[in-house]
Amino acid sequence: MPEFSKMRKPDVKIVILGDMNVGKTSLLHRYTERKFKDTVSTVGGAFFLKQWGPYNISIWDTAGREQFHGLGSMYCRGAAAVILTYDLTNWHSLAELEERFLSLTDTANHDCIYAIVGNKADLTGNQAQQVAGQDGPTEDQGEGGGVNPPSACPTPPASPVLLSRVTLNKQVSREDAVSLYGRILRYKGMDESNCLPADKMCFETSAKTGYNVDALFETLFDMVLPSILRNRTEREQSPTVDLEDHKETGKRTRARCC
Amino acid sequence: MEIDDNKDNGETEEIISDLVSVDCNLSTGPGSLGPSLSNHLAPDPAGPLVNTTNVMLKAPTNSNPPSDTMAAPVPGAEAAPVPGAEAAPVPGAEAAPVPGAEAAPVPGAEAAPVPVPGAPVPVPRGPLFGAVGATVPGPETQGPQTAPVQMEKETDESSKTECQTNIGGQPEIIPEEPPGENEQDDSGEFVVTMLARGKLQEQGVGVTGGSSPLSAPSEGPSSHRDEDVTAESWRQHRKHVFVLSEAGKPIYSRYGSEEALSSTMGVMMALVSFVQSSDNTIRSVYSDGRTVVFMQKGPLVLVSVSSSRQSEQQLRGELLYVYYQIISMLTQASIARIFKNKKNYDLRRLLAGSEKILDGLLNLVDSDPSFLLAAVHCLPLASSLRDSLSQILQKAITPNLVFSILIANNQLLTIVQEKTVIEDTRLEPADVHLLLNLIGASSAFQAGEIWTPICLPLFNPDCYFYAYISYLDPPECTVCLLLLSTDKEAFYAVADCKRRIEEAMLAQSSLSLIAKARCYSVSQVGVSDLRHFMYKPFDIPDHHKQLTQFTSPEMEAPYSTDEERMRLLDLYRYMHSRIHSTSRPLKLIYHVAEKETMLAWITSKFELYTCFSPLVTKACAINAITKLLRWIKKEEDRLFIRYPPKYSTTPNPSKSSRKSDQQDSIDNGFMSLL
Ligand SMILES: Nc1nc2c(ncn2[C@@H]2O[C@H](COP(=O)(O)OP(=O)(O)OP(=O)(O)O)[C@@H](O)[C@H]2O)c(=O)[nH]1
Ligand SMILES: [Mg+2]
């Protein structure tokens, strides 16, 4: 395939994961098109190329539906950053990140950066009518690591659509997200002290109002710069680059992190 | 109109004399229907359906004479056992070697040569439920003239009358085998009254849809999900579709949430299994104004509850599309596996988020005749332009790429296939419809490049292709490229094909040429009374690997509103059901409706549906059809995709020999998929 090199080769790959309906597509639309518009549930994954200064950043917006679960690890292959997205008003969507999506990131780069993003912040802000006590959803949890979608799940909960009723209650606290971040680092066998701190990597956003969306993407772009530079040097050395390269861990710095 | 009618009758009788020869000529007709709906879309019902019909005919006629309109004429009660009917003397239609039309070679073909004034005349009809024709009692002024041969004359008034007669008619259950027990009627009634309690809409065939909530595409796709299922308006929907598992678990409902409907679905399943337990399969239930059709496919049960007056066969074909769309997302093998492991698995878990795709499909099924005809509609394009587009696609290939499809405004521009694939099989219209629906339903992604697994159920129900979907003209997003690969990992290679296609199209300014392409107006045919038509050529032996297509002009005034468009489609559906009736297929139907005159004609070479202004005479109509066929012949290179090109995905196709091409393709993993 000699023509292959003609393609605008992405320098780095970022993947957005998360349960269906949490707003992954909306976040990306907000960032790339500066607006919030109607979406349909994503099928498979959608690939976007974002020009970031002199660099080409590829972003994969994946489908949250269980139907496409099997593809997740393919989209994640060689990723330099993964955005784990949940819906701030839906506790279950946070639990799903750990149960269903975390294992997909096994194919990501060793030094992959993880961001935890609670979306739909507009539903929890000051406008929220009431912040009633809400311990209810804890029993939504259960069933360990649904790795194989169809069979592995003894007690299928109601479908995610039904669970994501829009309550005005903030169901997920920042602490929940922060502790998930810690568990992710442990899962990855990373030393917390060498990694980016949770308070930098847990975001709350609103695709609807735009709150914190640019900050999310641009912070991440800055953070993957080292990966970009590394990929570029490698490409100069050998013409056939594959994004799955796992070499060179730990070269990450916090350079330009704002 | 009266005068025309008389003429019609006169002509009709004349025609009968030529009949026999025509009949012989066309005895191959049914065979040539192969690629039509009956084969591809409803393979299974074709056989048993005949039985079903018989059952329906026999069982209830004695008990409830008023509702026997549903049962149509009992075979023996045929007015005249004369085999055959008439041939329309279409002179010299080029595309049509046999200028005639004739009765179906099926036994029941009826002919009523002499109109008996005032006598109720059994009009030929299939299992079309509650439709026009049949005995028309009452103040039917047209009565005497409705004594047609094949060329029946029907009026909307008559259908209304009949419709009312139907009210309160007992529901009938039609199991595959003659019903032994009466209890079935009870349970049938139970469900039917549950489902169809809604007031009967008095819709004649010609006036359907006026007030009913149309599933027009303009309605936001899933806006019906939160509907109150106990409300009258919910029952009033023209066509409900439900999907449930064998265990009775709801999987999909077109309107209202599946949850709210779980008890209704439970009842349906109870009914299905009740009938099954006596070794029958429930196929359909007819009740006042509704047809309920059941279909079991593997572990899934699909149910259609329709007041659209479509034939059971058509509704069954539609359910099959729904089934295929589900298969296209999950594959047949995995559905079977899931339910084998766990009988009461909640499939919504996997289909969550796909409701819009199914909703969109059902809206298309209602509004796009491609589904009815089981054929694809391509955008008319100068053949030189189409060829150059095909060549562009043909050059931009990569290993494991098997289909390259270019689409503009949801209409096909061209399809190019890998050689090995095309040798074995071809892309079926139904698979193309599913692909187009998927693209339509995911159009929100216009800026990105989609990579998603998709199964083409008719191609192979058990494996996935990987579809690359991208628009070539952002931000308008009307021209869409669809590349299908067998390799899950091939995204970057396939995306690179797109870039090459983009470059080539830029160099040839293809996009601006495509933008100028339009569907045509019927006025271009130059026949004054012709308002609309649909023409579907059948496979001709030499081209049997071609995709089945049809051509049709834009729907223009008076069919410019959704309601009017739907009304015309309903007329077409009615004509189609008559032509394809399993019990009594017809070859030519001349149908005078209130606001238009319809003529449908099927030969071994084509299937044609035409719509004329109501005042056209039969002679005019026949003359018009001759002109129309001539025009189509002249334009066919523009109207259809001819000789779809093939490519080989070996890196150097130009000089490699055919044999090694195939070998490579096998190595590429395509064969292992099969
Ligand atoms: N109020 C509010 N609604 C949002 C926000 N982001 C997304 N939504 C809504 O949430 C729904 C789902 O949004 P999507 O962006 O399609 O969700 P997704 O995560 O891409 O879902 P899948 O593609 O199925 O995985 C849509 O109805 C959005 O309008 C947000 O920030 N605030
Ligand atoms: Mg999405």
Side-chain angles (χ1 to χ4, degrees), chain B residues 226-245:
Chain B
D226 321 318
E227 260 185 58
D228 175 6
V229 302
T230 58
E232 191 59 25
S233 59
W234 181 80
R235 288 196 206 93
Q236 288 293 323
H237 285 297
R238 184 179 139 104
K239 191 184 294 162
H240 283 275
V241 172
F242 307 95
V243 182
L244 45 152
S245 72

Side-chain angles (χ1 to χ4, degrees), chain B residues 12-13 16 19 73-86 103-104 106-116 119-125 147-150 584 586:
Chain B
T12 306
E13 284 170 54
I16 293 173
L19 214 154
V74 176
E78 220 68 89
V82 179
E86 72 305 319
V106 168
E110 70 301 303
V114 185
V116 183
V121 179
V123 171
R125 48 205 308 274
V149 188
Q150 252 45 40
R584 217 181 298 278
L586 300 177

Side-chain angles (χ1 to χ4, degrees), chain A residues 19-26 39-43 61-64, chain B residues 445:
Chain A
D19 204 354
M20 68 175 282
N21 218 33
V22 298
K24 299 178 294 298
T25 304
S26 302
T39 57
V40 288
S41 182
T42 305
V43 294
D61 171 28
T62 63
Chain B
F445 280 98

